[in-house]
Amino acid sequence: MIRRVLPHGLGRGLLTRRPGTRRGGFSLDWDGKVSEIKKKIKSILPGTSCDLLPDTSHLPPEHSDVVIVGGGVLGLSVAYWLKKLESRRGGIRVLVVERDYTYSQASTGLSVGGICQQFSLPENIQLSLFSASFLRNINEYLAVTNAPPLDLQFNPSGYLLLASEKDAAAMESNVKVQKQEGAKVCLMSPDQLRNKFPWISTEGVALASYGMENEGWFDPWCLLQGLRQKVESMGVFFCQGEVTRFVSSSQRMLTTDDEMVILKRIHEVHVKMDHSLEYQPVECSIVINAAGAWSAQIAALAGIGKGPPGTLQGTKLPVEPRKRYVYVWHCPQGPGLETPLVADTSGAYFRREGLGSNYLGGRSPIEEEEPDPENLEVDHDFFQEKVWPHLALRVPAFETLKVQTAWAGYYDYNTFDQNGVVGPHPLVVNMYFATGFSGHGLQQAPGVGRAVAEMILEGSFQTIDLSPFLFNRFYLGEKTQENNTM
Amino acid sequence: MAAPWLSLRLVAPMWNGTRGIHRLGGAVVPEGNQKKERTMLQFLTNHFYDVEALRGYLLQREMSKVHMKNRSFTWLEEQHGPYSAGAFFILKQGGAVKFRDKEWIRPDKYGHFSPEFWNFREVPVEAVDASDCEINYEGLDNLLLLKELQSLSLQRCPHVDDWCLSRLYPLADSLQELSLAGCPRVSERGLACLHHLQNLRRLDISDLPAVSNPGLTQILVEEMLPNCKVVGVDWAEGLKLGPEEQPQDTASPALA
């Protein structure tokens, strides 16, 4: 460099001796050294790749207070409420691990998006009422500066449940419980039904319950997007990867009856990246299982269910994926704008979709006809044989219709009693569940998220008491049965 | 929330392991805006914690102001009767009230109104004009005290949305006239739950920006409420004109 600075002729004259030539046995190799220094400076300067530190931006952090397995509406809801209810801002580090960022198989995006309070359990009614008020004030809860307000596309048209002779008494007692909890539901006789909805055929219907307020359907993607945006702005970390291993430690303890119990505590979660063998061990103190249809696999990884059957150690998480079909059809003379989501006595249901005489609906198959949950292929024969006849019976206008499209999605089906599992596991002390809602997870997500966050931060349920949904009931055999599933 | 002026530092790029993975951004924001950062305020909000916190605080204050306006006046019911309680709520919001066989009571430009209505214990309220008032879902608690309301005008109310419309069914026996003109948040989904109001004779749904297809919505609402005159939308608005009927003025926006 010095040579270039000095004028050419002068330089030539002064520095005639070439560098590198020995002079008294002292060698500097100045040329080589300078080029080495130049290379190093170039590599450190921004704009070029630096091999000093490997790139880990795709990996999750090494430590996290809470790891939520599953980034659907339930997982994001728990993350939101954890951040909202923490007593110090930035006090808890939350990591959400989601295997599939396109949400192609997640139950949230494929859901019909309904919300209703017509349940038989008071806890379910309370959860649904809270979710309705959450959705109503969604722009206050999920406000992010600079982001446009969310439009949930909520249709407040209500649910209409039809009951035959043998179910009429159960429906009456359910409606009584619902009214007690504050849901706005009314009972209708077949005559009143025909008066209000002339397109319905009341053959075989003894009683109907109609939700007037806080019931309807909305766009689940919008809720997911809104939660995701808000939760990111609150400082929750996201990672795309799969949980492959839990590293835990066990401790033997004696119960008051002098029985030996092994309590497990999860210390690390191994998160494996997509299409590679690379994994990151995340040290954590609490793990939340919100993996939806695949929750049983995550529970098995933690050792839940490994033991002799009939004991608490041997009780598995009874959640499995069940495939459900949704069909969209066009019927030009179909029911009008005021159509609620109608659930027939046979289990078939339908609702309007948009302004253009399109309807969507389906039916839950009976136990023996459960489709194979291997993939999400749609069986169109199911519509022809099992859904259409019931729809045409109930709404004569549906005798002429044309199916436009269909899709399938998973229910995270609780084979024990079709209600959710919420709260900690008795033996794996730091795994909390928020799964198994068998088709009404979306409508209960805000309430359940808050309940789990309260359980973690305060130690017990504060607002809605979800003790009937704890894991213990699978071992004790106490079913929290819901009579009104679709 | 910690005092915003204490966090005086620039936003460091937040550690987030999802750089590069497509974000589920806001539903309406187009791609280009995220890079453009058109306004100074948006730019400042994205780069300074203080500005973001200040904006968040101001937004919370606006919302709590609306909540305050819509607080419950149902406790007045025991002392003065439901009609006076409901009328007080409307007048306090800036709307006008008409009792049966009496004149319209309106607040003047300072917000003062005559206290004579406190004496009307048994006189029901016939008509309410709540145009441009900040009524929202909670405020309807007070409005629904007026059981024999015949005419309700909610024109240009900024916070009346589909949820509010689903709450109007208790007035089904008496309500004959309803006007929703100019409400920015009412869409066709809210109009669907007006079918409870079977005694409605006049419904005004003009100028609703959130309704996606006004012409088709008008037809569907007319089918839904056969005894009601639905005004405000010309059903031909949504139709494409044939080649011989092209509009002369080619500068007008194409209707489709």
Side-chain angles (χ1 to χ4, degrees):
Chain A
M1 276 191 295
I2 304 172
R3 254 175 274 138
R4 270 191 247 122
V5 166
L6 292 173
H8 194 72
L10 196 55
R12 272 273 184 222
L14 276 178
L15 298 169
T16 43
R17 201 180 301 120
R18 278 186 58 227
T21 53
R22 287 186 177 272
R23 185 173 174 252
F26 186 64
S27 144
L28 263 186
D29 192 15
W30 195 238
D31 231 356
K33 275 249 166 62
V34 164
S35 64
E36 240 176 77
I37 292 174
K38 272 200 219 170
K39 234 200 280 182
K40 219 171 210 164
I41 292 177
K42 241 194 195 158
S43 72
I44 294 177
L45 280 177
T48 53
S49 69
C50 180
D51 289 330
L52 293 175
L53 298 168
D55 176 28
T56 55
S57 53
H58 56 289
L59 292 176
E62 290 179 8
H63 310 271
S64 173
D65 295 311
V66 179
V67 172
I68 301 180
V69 182
V73 70
L74 268 175
L76 291 183
S77 171
V78 176
Y80 169 76
W81 282 104
L82 273 174
K83 280 311 220 180
K84 183 135 160 94
L85 297 177
E86 65 186 0
S87 45
R88 288 182 61 170
R89 197 163 139 206
I92 301 190
R93 179 185 279 199
V94 181
L95 169 71
V96 175
V97 179
E98 168 59 45
R99 188 166 58 175
D100 174 18
Y101 259 3
T102 59
Y103 290 94
S104 56
Q105 297 195 326
S107 310
T108 306
L110 300 166
S111 152
V112 161
I115 174 168
C116 85
Q117 280 91 49
Q118 299 189 36
F119 295 103
S120 55
L121 276 177
E123 285 85 13
N124 275 337
I125 303 172
Q126 289 289 336
L127 282 173
S128 202
L129 276 173
F130 174 71
S131 301
S133 84
F134 183 89
L135 295 175
R136 188 170 56 236
N137 298 317
I138 198 170
N139 282 314
E140 288 184 24
Y141 282 107
L142 303 185
V144 177
T145 32
N146 260 357
L150 294 168
D151 179 17
L152 271 184
Q153 316 247 329
F154 180 70
N155 288 61
S157 302
Y159 267 51
L160 179 71
L161 266 57
L162 304 174
S164 55
E165 276 290 339
K166 60 181 178 64
D167 297 324
M171 176 175 272
E172 251 191 82
S173 61
N174 285 347
V175 169
K176 206 147 84 173
V177 175
Q178 288 153 20
K179 283 196 174 146
Q180 242 174 348
E181 296 293 327
K184 307 276 194 299
V185 185
C186 70
L187 282 169
M188 293 172 83
S189 68
D191 289 321
Q192 285 171 324
L193 255 188
R194 268 193 297 270
N195 232 356
K196 209 165 181 71
F197 304 117
W199 38 263
I200 218 175
S201 137
T202 51
E203 191 185 314
V205 172
L207 197 57
S209 71
Y210 183 36
M212 316 273 271
E213 265 190 70
N214 288 335
E215 294 195 358
W217 57 91
F218 61 96
D219 178 19
W221 270 116
C222 182
L223 178 62
L224 195 66
Q225 278 185 13
L227 273 173
R228 175 70 191 256
Q229 244 183 1
K230 177 66 179 175
V231 142
E232 268 187 10
S233 84
M234 286 166 131
V236 167
F237 295 97
F238 280 86
C239 171
Q240 176 172 15
E242 190 177 340
V243 170
T244 46
R245 195 174 160 214
F246 290 119
V247 173
S248 47
S249 72
S250 312
Q251 204 182 8
R252 278 170 210 265
M253 305 200 76
L254 287 179
T255 64
T256 44
D257 310 319
D258 270 343
E259 247 178 65
M260 174 88 74
V261 170
I262 301 182
L263 293 178
K264 250 184 167 182
R265 184 166 208 99
I266 300 177
H267 288 284
E268 265 183 20
V269 178
H270 285 200
V271 180
K272 180 180 104 67
M273 297 296 117
D274 240 4
H275 305 301
S276 106
L277 289 175
E278 196 182 4
Y279 72 91
Q280 166 79 296
V282 179
E283 220 180 347
C284 63
S285 65
I286 291 177
V287 175
I288 298 182
N289 187 350
W294 302 274
S295 315
Q297 295 170 8
I298 301 291
L301 276 181
I304 295 174
K306 285 209 185 83
T311 58
L312 188 53
Q313 297 92 303
T315 320
K316 298 200 211 301
L317 181 69
V319 174
E320 60 180 45
R322 290 277 175 100
K323 192 156 82 159
R324 293 288 177 267
Y325 304 113
V326 179
Y327 304 93
V328 182
W329 64 88
H330 175 79
C331 176
Q333 304 299 330
L337 197 59
E338 74 278 5
T339 317
L341 197 153
V342 182
D344 187 31
T345 47
S346 58
Y349 65 91
F350 74 92
R351 66 158 170 90
R352 257 192 92 104
E353 172 68 30
L355 284 177
S357 292
N358 289 321
Y359 302 85
L360 66 81
R363 180 169 177 239
S364 285
I366 51 179
E367 278 292 334
E368 293 78 33
E369 297 168 347
E370 280 289 346
D372 183 16
E374 179 73 38
N375 55 26
L376 286 179
E377 299 283 325
V378 178
D379 178 12
H380 293 277
D381 295 326
F382 183 76
F383 182 76
Q384 299 279 21
E385 291 159 31
K386 301 283 185 330
V387 186
W388 196 359
H390 299 282
L391 289 175
L393 198 63
R394 191 55 58 209
V395 181
F398 281 160
E399 273 159 24
T400 47
L401 58 79
K402 186 160 193 304
V403 176
Q404 308 277 22
T405 173
W407 69 83
Y410 290 121
Y411 272 15
D412 46 345
Y413 194 80
N414 182 345
T415 49
F416 189 71
D417 56 11
Q418 289 88 58
N419 262 321
V421 191
V422 178
H425 189 271
L427 294 180
V428 181
V429 292
N430 60 350
M431 171 170 269
Y432 289 76
F433 295 104
T435 177
F437 285 92
S438 323
H440 38 93
L442 177 67
Q443 59 180 285
Q444 296 182 333
V448 168
R450 187 175 62 164
V452 174
E454 284 167 356
M455 190 63 160
I456 292 175
L457 297 172
E458 321 272 340
S460 61
F461 298 119
Q462 304 285 326
T463 40
I464 306 178
D465 185 17
L466 295 183
S467 346
F469 292 166
L470 289 172
F471 187 92
N472 285 330
R473 71 190 199 266
F474 303 135
Y475 170 60
L476 298 170
E478 296 165 357
K479 290 197 179 192
T480 326
Q481 197 75 38
E482 172 59 54
N483 297 332
N484 262 355
T485 38
M486 277 201 299
Chain B
M1 181 154 48
W5 54 85
L6 291 179
S7 60
L8 228 74
R9 61 185 187 281
L10 289 177
V11 172
M14 202 169 74
W15 194 99
N16 198 327
T18 65
R19 211 139 288 247
I21 295 185
H22 50 89
R23 297 163 143 253
L24 305 174
V28 187
V29 172
E31 273 305 308
N33 278 359
Q34 287 168 0
K35 304 211 176 108
K36 256 195 245 175
E37 285 169 346
R38 292 179 291 191
T39 64
M40 190 60 176
L41 196 60
Q42 281 179 358
F43 175 79
L44 287 176
T45 312
N46 287 338
H47 289 254
F48 293 99
Y49 273 140
D50 334 327
V51 180
E52 189 185 355
L54 186 66
R55 279 187 80 184
Y57 169 70
L58 290 174
L59 183 69
Q60 292 294 328
R61 235 184 43 172
E62 285 302 314
M63 290 205 250
S64 60
K65 265 201 237 168
V66 174
H67 277 306
M68 205 41 193
K69 276 203 155 167
N70 283 291
R71 63 192 185 278
S72 172
F73 288 102
T74 39
W75 51 273
L76 285 173
E77 196 180 341
E78 306 102 57
Q79 226 185 347
H80 297 281
Y83 308 120
S84 296
F88 178 60
F89 167 70
I90 300 288
L91 290 168
K92 210 124 162 80
Q93 285 257 340
V97 168
K98 182 182 188 308
F99 284 83
R100 184 177 294 169
D101 305 325
K102 310 267 188 231
E103 291 295 316
W104 278 94
I105 305 181
R106 264 175 218 283
D108 60 13
K109 64 174 178 173
Y110 298 111
H112 302 142
F113 41 86
S114 77
E116 57 181 5
F117 66 94
W118 289 119
N119 304 329
F120 303 156
R121 260 199 87 102
E122 300 303 319
V123 185
V125 175
E126 226 173 39
V128 162
D129 177 14
S131 311
D132 306 298
C133 290
E134 289 186 338
I135 279 191
N136 70 3
Y137 186 89
E138 277 89 35
L140 277 186
D141 262 341
N142 303 311
L143 192 62
L144 293 174
L145 289 171
L146 307 169
K147 291 278 180 281
E148 292 174 40
L149 193 62
Q150 286 177 9
S151 156
L152 176 60
S153 165
L154 293 169
Q155 297 187 11
R156 297 176 301 277
C157 290
H159 299 290
V160 165
D161 57 3
D162 299 332
W163 295 87
C164 297
L165 290 187
S166 78
R167 235 189 148 187
L168 289 180
Y169 65 89
L171 301 173
D173 295 325
S174 58
L175 198 65
Q176 289 175 7
E177 196 181 319
L178 176 62
S179 169
L180 298 168
C183 289
R185 294 201 196 177
V186 170
S187 73
E188 67 269 17
R189 300 174 283 275
L191 294 178
C193 38
L194 291 181
H195 77 277
H196 292 283
L197 307 172
Q198 286 299 325
N199 282 326
L200 208 58
R201 296 288 169 263
R202 192 171 185 279
L203 174 63
D204 184 357
I205 51 172
S206 51
D207 192 27
L208 291 174
V211 169
S212 51
N213 195 335
L216 183 55
T217 311
Q218 160 104 358
I219 297 176
L220 289 171
V221 172
E222 279 176 355
E223 272 178 33
M224 191 170 81
L225 293 168
N227 298 330
C228 177
K229 181 172 183 322
V230 181
V231 286
V233 183
D234 182 16
W235 68 269
E237 212 178 279
L239 298 181
K240 269 208 188 82
L241 297 173
E244 62 274 6
E245 296 161 25
Q246 285 298 338
Q248 299 302 318
D249 178 19
T250 48
S252 65
L255 299 165

